[in-house]
Amino acid sequence: MEEIKNRVAESKLITFDLENLYQEGRREVVDIKDWLYEGFILREKEFRTHLDEQDWSQYLDSYVALTCSTDAIVPSWAFMLVTSKLAPLAKKVVVGDLETLETALYQEQLLQLDLEPFKEKPVIIKGCSNKPVPENAYIMAMTQIQQVAKSVMYGEACSAVPLYKRK
């Protein structure tokens, strides 16, 4: 009887799992609408008072997304002022939603990625994950890995979708 071979295990295929780049830590959303007059109008003096009364210690070692859930027109300096309160405590502050925050966190990791292990190798970017991986993280991974890889696929070894092959 012929021995069954696991061709995937024997191949030079490298599996890249974005989930391994996930930065552990608490995610928080700070909605500034509660510090605006009627949720829409920024009155500088009142806004500054709200910020001074806020307990910022709750954001210690957190990743923070700043947002305004109303259609208020918020000047850039308002988010900068809130950031000045958060920056000494939080690990990261961005303007946007949680997906924007995750994208920024993955971008940091992907820009530091050592591409040497992928050089001239077939790479599969794993598609399923248990942690939140934003679409943009897949785009950034593709951009980085494609520079050096022989080929890039998406999915699992048993059902990969070919995306790129070096000529």
Side-chain angles (χ1 to χ4, degrees), residues 1-36:
M1 192 171 209
E2 196 175 318
E3 182 182 336
I4 297 174
K5 290 185 179 183
N6 184 339
R7 291 185 7 217
V8 173
E10 292 176 357
S11 75
K12 293 180 182 178
L13 183 67
I14 295 176
T15 300
F16 179 69
D17 189 352
L18 278 162
E19 192 173 73
N20 294 335
L21 299 182
Y22 181 80
Q23 295 184 49
E24 295 292 337
R26 237 173 359 118
R27 272 67 168 157
E28 299 284 343
V29 175
V30 174
D31 189 348
I32 68 165
K33 77 167 170 48
D34 297 329
W35 304 328
L36 304 177

Side-chain angles (χ1 to χ4, degrees), residues 47 51 66 75-87 95:
F47 187 73
L51 296 184
L66 299 177
S76 297
W77 65 260
F79 289 116
M80 293 169 68
L81 185 60
V82 176
T83 300
S84 74
K85 305 291 186 182
L86 288 166
V95 174

Side-chain angles (χ1 to χ4, degrees), residues 110 112-119 141 144-148:
L110 286 163
Q112 297 174 25
L113 185 65
D114 178 14
L115 298 175
E116 195 60 34
F118 309 113
K119 199 168 190 174
Q144 291 288 89
I145 293 170
Q146 179 177 336
Q147 296 175 52
V148 297

Side-chain angles (χ1 to χ4, degrees), residues 45 56 90 99 103 127 133 142 151 153 155:
K45 187 175 180 181
W56 298 104
E99 185 170 345
T103 299
V133 179
M142 179 68 189
S151 63
M153 295 164 276

